[in-house]
Amino acid sequence: MKEKELRRTLAVLPIGTVIKLTDLTARQIRYYEEQGLVTPKRNKGNQRMYSLNDVDRLLEIKDYLADGMNIAGIKYVYQQQQADQQAQKQRPVTDDDVRRILHDELLAAGGLDHHDQRASLYHQNPKK
DNA sequence: ATTCTTACA
DNA sequence: TGTAAGCA
């Protein structure tokens, strides 16, 4: 069950393929990288090479955006995820931790406060 | 042919 | 975000 995960991290896809797989524009994909949401490798010619995990990450970002979350909110989710993973390596996770983590992520995903979107720093500003 | 960076009628 | 320009 380790073999498949390894291949999933292999950066073998050029941006052109990623564009077809995600329906995102090169502009968007590169912008998300600038925001630290994805970190593709680079080949000898300085061209970005993506892994299957990168593609999944991009599709996830696309969904979050479609659900009204902004870059800051997505950054928060991933930052929180790595923080959780880091803490999990030091101390065994308790049931309470799991509940808190799930709650935080759902909140960041905008699934709980559909009332005052404009008040949240983690939502897109609907330019009416 | 593709991708990269930079800049902005 | 789109798009044009000039390279690699």
Side-chain angles (χ1 to χ4, degrees):
Chain A
M1 181 51 122
K2 266 305 184 183
E3 190 66 27
K4 190 159 55 180
E5 187 177 313
L6 179 73
R7 307 200 196 217
R8 213 175 278 287
T9 72
L10 296 180
V12 297
L13 314 173
I15 197 168
T17 301
V18 177
I19 289 173
K20 291 175 179 173
L21 260 29
T22 64
D23 274 301
L24 287 171
T25 65
R27 184 78 166 85
Q28 294 175 305
I29 295 172
R30 293 178 186 132
Y31 175 66
Y32 302 153
E33 177 183 352
E34 269 184 25
Q35 301 310 300
L37 270 34
V38 288
T39 53
K41 299 295 186 296
R42 294 287 184 134
N43 63 16
K44 289 298 182 64
N46 191 43
Q47 302 192 315
R48 274 164 268 247
M49 294 304 276
Y50 301 80
S51 69
L52 293 177
N53 281 330
D54 290 329
V55 173
D56 284 337
R57 167 65 64 92
L58 255 3
L59 289 172
E60 193 171 43
I61 292 170
K62 190 184 173 187
D63 285 340
Y64 281 147
L65 255 22
D67 278 322
M69 228 183 312
N70 59 30
I71 300 296
I74 299 173
K75 276 185 181 176
Y76 176 78
V77 171
Y78 294 147
Q79 166 212 297
Q80 209 47 63
Q81 280 184 0
Q82 72 162 23
D84 292 342
Q85 294 173 182
Q86 209 53 49
Q88 182 171 357
K89 290 183 177 181
Q90 302 169 46
R91 165 180 49 65
V93 291
T94 68
D95 289 340
D96 190 55
D97 288 330
V98 177
R99 280 192 229 92
R100 180 182 57 67
I101 294 171
L102 183 58
H103 174 275
D104 286 354
E105 291 181 0
L106 285 176
L107 190 63
L112 296 180
D113 53 340
H114 274 180
H115 298 297
D116 55 341
Q117 292 197 324
R118 221 139 314 192
S120 175
L121 292 172
Y122 298 142
H123 283 78
Q124 263 169 147
N125 315 306
K127 191 110 182 184
K128 63 304 194 244

